[in-house]
Amino acid sequence: TPDRRAIIPIWTQVATERTETEEAVVFTTDAQAQVLLPALRWMLTSADGEDYADHSDALKDEAPFDVWSNPPQSPQALYLGFDQDLSAHTVALTVRCDQVGIGIDPAKPPWQWEAWRGDELRWEQIQVLSDSTAGLNQNGEIKLILPYRCQPTRLQLREARTWLRCSPVSKPAPGEEPYARSPRVRQVGAYT
């Protein structure tokens, strides 16, 4: 249930994974940590960052919608709102998508993921750990590393303790193609 959580006690010894080229890094926690099960409450889209369309039906059942308009460009965005403070969590989004031929290199999607950090820090870019959705073009998972101290806020009367935002990049890096058309999402879930 969303109320369930795992507690990592203070002074717990933790290690990174050892790889073929790197040794594991061992460290000790200096504060108690909680791992929360995320309750994804809101899924919104916006063409301008001021008016929002609610697609939260796709959190429970399949309810297909275009993530952005065509052609996708900034400041269009997909917003995900969670009931918990997921600061310092790794969040996995499980996504069911239509394969629509969106015209990008699926290994390097021209998108930007961000977390809301409050009025002072605003939207902060976050790291995409992995993406098996090919830039929202097939069913899969997107794993995101969230920063410390995410802040709650309200978007058109929809309150959440953690907000994530995904926007298309208007000017991709050299050699990368922009989205030719919007991805089409059918359903989204989340776990930590």
Side-chain angles (χ1 to χ4, degrees):
T1 66
D3 298 346
R4 190 169 171 218
R5 61 185 180 204
I7 304 293
I8 302 169
I10 190 171
W11 309 123
T12 300
Q13 193 173 43
V14 184
T16 61
E17 267 188 56
R18 182 179 179 208
T19 66
E20 292 178 11
T21 59
E22 294 181 9
E23 290 294 321
V25 175
V26 180
F27 59 96
T28 304
T29 61
D30 61 1
Q32 177 175 293
Q34 296 182 41
V35 180
L36 303 173
L37 183 66
L40 186 50
R41 182 169 185 188
W42 303 110
M43 186 159 44
L44 312 173
T45 57
S46 178
D48 58 9
E50 293 180 16
D51 293 316
Y52 301 90
D54 193 336
H55 300 284
S56 300
D57 292 347
L59 301 175
K60 295 181 180 87
D61 299 310
E62 286 201 13
F65 67 95
D66 287 337
V67 176
W68 305 304
S69 62
N70 290 309
Q73 53 191 325
S74 189
Q76 298 170 14
L78 170 68
Y79 295 83
L80 302 174
F82 295 87
D83 282 338
Q84 297 79 13
D85 178 359
L86 297 175
S87 297
H89 281 63
T90 298
V91 174
L93 303 174
T94 56
V95 185
R96 293 183 39 83
C97 301
D98 290 344
Q99 293 183 338
V100 293
I102 51 184
I104 63 163
D105 177 353
K108 297 179 194 172
W111 61 13
Q112 176 173 290
W113 283 90
E114 300 166 299
W116 178 253
R117 295 287 309 282
D119 290 333
E120 188 176 322
L121 297 173
R122 319 240 3 116
W123 289 100
E124 180 178 304
Q125 189 168 348
I126 58 177
Q127 179 184 354
V128 178
L129 189 59
S130 64
D131 169 34
S132 63
T133 69
L136 297 173
N137 198 39
Q138 64 188 23
N139 297 341
E141 291 184 348
I142 302 165
K143 292 184 181 172
L144 305 166
I145 298 176
L146 275 54
Y148 285 94
R149 293 179 287 289
C150 293
Q151 297 293 311
T153 195
R154 178 184 300 168
L155 299 178
Q156 278 189 340
L157 303 178
R158 293 168 183 94
E159 289 189 43
R161 302 269 322 265
T162 304
W163 279 101
L164 303 179
R165 176 170 81 173
C166 180
S167 305
V169 174
S170 297
K171 296 179 182 175
E176 292 181 6
E177 293 295 321
Y179 280 94
R181 59 184 293 188
S182 175
R184 188 160 179 77
V185 169
R186 304 184 75 70
Q187 191 172 22
V188 176
Y191 68 91
T192 49

